[in-house]
Amino acid sequence: MAGGRIAAIGKGVGQASREIDARGGMASPPLVESHVHLDTTLTAGEPKWNESGTLFEGISTWALRKESLTEADVIRRATELLRWQAAQGVLFVRSHVDTTDPDLTAVRALLEVKEKMQGLVDLQLVAFPQEGILSYPRGADLLEEALRLGVDVVGGIPHYELTRDMGAESVKITFALAEKYDLPIDIHCDETDDPQSRFLEVVAAETIRSGMGHRVTASHTTAFGSYDDAYAFKLMGFLQRADLNFVANPLVNITLQGRMDTYPKRRGMTRVKELWQNGLNVSLGYDDVMDPWYSLGTGNMLQPAHMAVHVAQMTGRQEVMACYDMVTRNAARTLGLEERYGLDVGKPADFIVLDAPDAWDTLRRLATVTTVVKGGQVIVEAKPPEVRLLGEPITFQR
Ligand code: 17E
Ligand code: FE2
């Protein structure tokens, strides 16, 4: 490393001022969080718990918590979660921030957090109209105001607009704002089990029309898991033409979706394996840590990858490895970080060391991130848990 950048890679390439003993573990580019809600984090139970476990009770519970929101409150909670994530090797984060608030309190707070955390974590913010662009009073104005304040990405939530027409119209508003301010897009799209929720096709059409390609991301898209195969097959071709990114949030959607089903009960996840097989960029997010939608969690990105292996049945050798890519390289692509991300000479010296020899073993054991290096500086050192049975060490290795 030199000047905070990677100077050389390989054996015998010169003398380093500091050596890190990886003890047989692998080095990897940092973990990337491509979808989280930092404004809502660490509020579980406030002012009440989400007893039904549905997306909708999550939204109404958050609306109650929003009434008492202050900038200091958001800053404290968001900073805490970013620290948890950095401590677990997550150095790049894309967070949605609710713009359906006449005061834009969370927007102002997270813009401050972004500034304050620079140097530790790269934070991207998405203006997210939680209660709708057209269904919330002045929703479109508030969304645009957030962009003027400096939010990086334009969001949407078409499936939660009052009618199908309003949903389609809202997608067009998102694209119009993105084009006006030259910003990427990340839309909460079709987060429902309703197979009639078909806003992804509108997003694909707008992506093709605008030529925005991989500057567009469709998040959640859980209804894609409920579409019939004939429609899904046709749609997949359009998605390939559009070349947009997908983010799935398996920890959260496996619990939020399927709530109106008895049995068989749907998995409520988008077609992660098939999107990946068809060459589309898929990444994974945590979505929520201890909030009205998901009361558990620590922000460790190996957990959604581990859950994706199960929910998407990506259990083949290469498939498990692909799930690791979905919280590293693919997520970096979703965030548009290709230029500065990766273990290549000349790129910033940001990397992690895991106590596992490869990506497969990392997910099998939910390995510990033992070292985190940011800009050439060691910022985290951690020891894997030491276990002894009758005095003998147990390593969980065969
Ligand atoms: N809001 C939403 O609409 N969907 C989600 N999964 C979360 C917030 C976490
Ligand atoms: Fe989300």
Side-chain angles (χ1 to χ4, degrees):
M1 289 178 282
R5 294 188 173 264
I6 299 171
I9 296 176
K11 286 200 170 97
V13 288
Q15 193 66 39
S17 59
R18 169 151 190 199
E19 282 191 13
I20 298 167
D21 183 357
R23 296 170 193 273
M26 73 159 176
S28 162
L31 292 158
V32 178
E33 168 64 272
S34 54
H35 187 123
V36 71
H37 296 255
L38 286 177
D39 51 349
T40 63
T41 196
L42 308 183
T43 63
E46 298 169 6
K48 64 173 198 66
W49 296 88
N50 179 345
E51 298 293 351
S52 68
T54 56
L55 169 68
F56 305 105
E57 188 174 341
I59 295 174
S60 60
T61 303
W62 169 242
L64 294 175
R65 181 59 173 78
K66 261 197 285 192
E67 291 171 10
S68 65
L69 213 60
T70 67
E71 283 186 44
D73 160 39
V74 177
I75 291 170
R76 183 186 61 75
R77 292 181 289 97
T79 304
E80 186 63 14
L81 180 58
L82 287 175
R83 287 166 53 82
W84 293 4
Q85 292 207 299
Q88 300 179 93
V90 183
L91 298 184
F92 301 93
V93 174
R94 174 179 281 185
S95 172
H96 296 258
V97 52
D98 187 357
T99 58
T100 50
D101 161 12
D103 301 322
L104 294 175
T105 302
V107 168
R108 291 173 215 280
L110 287 191
L111 283 166
E112 220 175 298
V113 170
K114 176 182 166 167
E115 195 75 17
K116 189 179 82 172
M117 296 301 275
Q118 245 181 24
L120 187 61
V121 177
D122 275 44
L123 178 59
Q124 275 184 15
L125 298 175
V126 185
F128 171 50
Q130 175 68 81
E131 295 182 54
I133 295 176
L134 293 168
S135 312
Y136 185 81
R138 297 189 49 245
D141 292 345
L142 290 164
L143 183 61
E144 183 161 7
E145 179 61 16
L147 305 179
R148 270 195 239 104
L149 288 172
V151 171
D152 311 282
V153 183
V154 195
I157 187 163
H159 57 277
Y160 195 63
E161 302 289 353
L162 287 164
T163 68
R164 183 200 297 244
D165 288 344
M166 289 161 82
E169 180 58 27
S170 78
V171 170
K172 292 181 182 149
I173 293 174
T174 296
F175 273 82
L177 286 172
E179 289 175 291
K180 179 171 172 187
Y181 291 91
D182 189 23
L183 294 173
I185 285 173
D186 191 334
I187 296 182
H188 277 63
C189 191
D190 301 319
E191 189 184 12
T192 161
D193 293 318
D194 175 8
Q196 301 303 322
S197 186
R198 293 183 170 187
F199 298 106
L200 180 53
E201 67 182 21
V202 182
V203 171
E206 281 292 290
T207 304
I208 292 165
R209 176 198 59 74
S210 64
M212 284 184 67
H214 65 254
R215 294 189 83 204
V216 177
T217 300
S219 280
H220 296 287
T221 63
T222 57
F224 198 0
S226 289
Y227 296 157
D228 70 67
D229 285 331
Y231 176 68
F233 182 83
K234 178 193 80 167
L235 180 63
M236 191 65 86
F238 295 168
L239 299 175
Q240 286 175 307
R241 262 168 69 189
D243 194 26
L244 73 174
N245 308 300
F246 287 82
V247 180
N249 300 292
L251 282 176
V252 170
N253 284 125
I254 195 74
T255 73
L256 289 182
Q257 309 311 132
R259 290 281 178 164
M260 282 77 198
D261 293 352
T262 55
Y263 292 90
K265 194 183 284 291
R266 281 170 286 180
R267 291 169 184 237
M269 192 168 78
T270 193
R271 300 191 183 206
V272 167
K273 191 198 297 199
E274 293 74 15
L275 287 164
W276 168 71
Q277 286 170 335
N278 280 283
L280 285 149
N281 183 51
V282 184
S283 63
L284 304 170
Y286 213 106
D287 205 14
D288 306 280
V289 179
M290 300 182 79
D291 75 3
W293 292 272
Y294 186 69
S295 61
L296 310 178
T298 64
N300 175 352
M301 291 312 296
L302 299 180
Q303 292 166 343
H306 186 260
M307 183 58 89
V309 169
H310 297 78
V311 182
Q313 299 187 328
M314 291 184 66
T315 51
R317 179 90 186 156
Q318 294 311 314
E319 291 170 351
V320 171
M321 306 277 225
C323 289
Y324 183 79
D325 287 343
M326 291 179 190
V327 291
T328 51
R329 295 163 186 88
N330 299 7
R333 183 172 155 90
T334 298
L335 269 59
L337 300 171
E338 294 97 323
E339 303 271 293
R340 51 110 55 244
Y341 180 91
L343 300 184
D344 304 308
V345 171
K347 287 192 175 159
D350 301 338
F351 62 90
I352 63 176
V353 179
L354 289 136
D355 76 321
D358 56 29
W360 196 89
D361 209 55
T362 293
L363 291 186
R364 176 179 73 88
R365 288 187 302 110
L366 294 173
T368 302
V369 174
T370 53
T371 308
V372 180
V373 174
K374 162 85 186 170
Q377 302 288 320
V378 175
I379 60 165
V380 177
E381 288 174 294
K383 283 202 174 68
E386 220 179 80
V387 182
R388 285 174 186 274
L389 174 67
L390 301 175
E392 276 194 38
I394 300 279
T395 62
F396 304 101
Q397 301 284 4
R398 42 173 193 191

